[in-house]
Amino acid sequence: MKKKLSNKIPDTILGDNSDFFERVYKVVRQIPFGRVTSYGAIARFLGTAGSAKMVGWAMNRTRGCKNFVPAHRVVNRLGILTGKHHFSDENKMENLLKSEGVEVVNDKIINLNKYFWDPCKELI
DNA sequence: AAGCTGACTATGG
DNA sequence: GCCATAGCCAGCT
C-alpha cells in the first residue's frame, strides 16, 4: 500500500469521503477545459468563504493522488499563478494553461474575466 | 490540546 | 498600485 499523504485522507479520498477537501476536489474537477477559477470562488461555493487558503492547501494534497484534479486551473483572484511553485516543475502550471488556450504572461492570466469560471454561477 | 500555518481576500494608508 | 494588516478556517505539529 502506498504511503498516504496524510493520516486522515485515505487513497479513496475523492470517492466516499465527505471531507472539506473532497468537496473542493469535486468542484475543481468540474472546471471546464480552458477555464479557470479562484480559490475564493471555490470556497464561497462551498459555503466557507473564509477558507480560501484551505482550498489551496487541498490542492497541495492532490499531488500524488491517483484522481486527476486540474489544480492548474485554480489561481488567485487576480489570475496570478501563485501555486506554480507547488507543481513538479515551476513552469508546468503555466504550460498546462497555455496548452488549454489560456493567455499567461509573467505568471498572470491575461483577460482573466474571459476565462473565469464561477462555480456559483455556472455550477447550478 | 493549543498554537502555527497557509497555492487567500479585503481593506486601508 | 504597492505594502502592511487583519480575518478567515481547517489541517497539521
Side-chain angles (χ1 to χ4, degrees):
Chain A
M1 195 46 131
K2 79 171 154 137
K3 186 178 192 290
K4 26 189 192 206
L5 289 173
S6 92
N7 58 336
K8 184 145 195 209
I9 304 213
D11 294 332
T12 63
I13 173 172
L14 312 181
D16 49 62
N17 216 318
S18 51
D19 276 333
F20 172 79
F21 285 8
E22 188 250 327
R23 290 192 283 152
V24 173
Y25 302 141
K26 218 188 279 185
V27 175
V28 175
R29 279 203 231 82
Q30 310 298 317
I31 304 176
F33 184 93
R35 308 289 298 281
V36 300
T37 192
S38 75
Y39 305 97
I42 295 172
R44 225 179 354 266
F45 177 75
L46 295 176
T48 55
S51 51
K53 286 186 185 169
M54 288 283 83
V55 176
W57 196 248
M59 294 302 99
N60 225 340
R61 302 290 239 52
T62 68
R63 288 194 302 162
C65 184
K66 52 190 177 186
N67 297 355
F68 173 68
V69 177
H72 60 281
R73 298 186 190 139
V74 186
V75 296
N76 80 348
R77 73 183 178 94
L78 300 175
I80 299 174
L81 280 53
T82 53
K84 62 179 286 186
H85 251 317
H86 298 270
F87 282 76
S88 46
D89 298 310
E90 286 199 13
N91 295 315
K92 182 125 180 235
M93 189 172 186
E94 179 174 341
N95 288 334
L96 283 170
L97 287 171
K98 282 181 176 170
S99 73
E100 298 191 1
V102 179
E103 240 179 312
V104 180
V105 175
N106 214 7
D107 295 338
K108 185 178 177 204
I109 295 178
I110 308 299
N111 274 328
L112 176 62
N113 195 45
K114 173 176 168 188
Y115 307 105
F116 196 77
W117 179 86
D118 187 350
C120 297
K121 298 177 186 166
E122 324 242 2
L123 197 66
I124 321 279

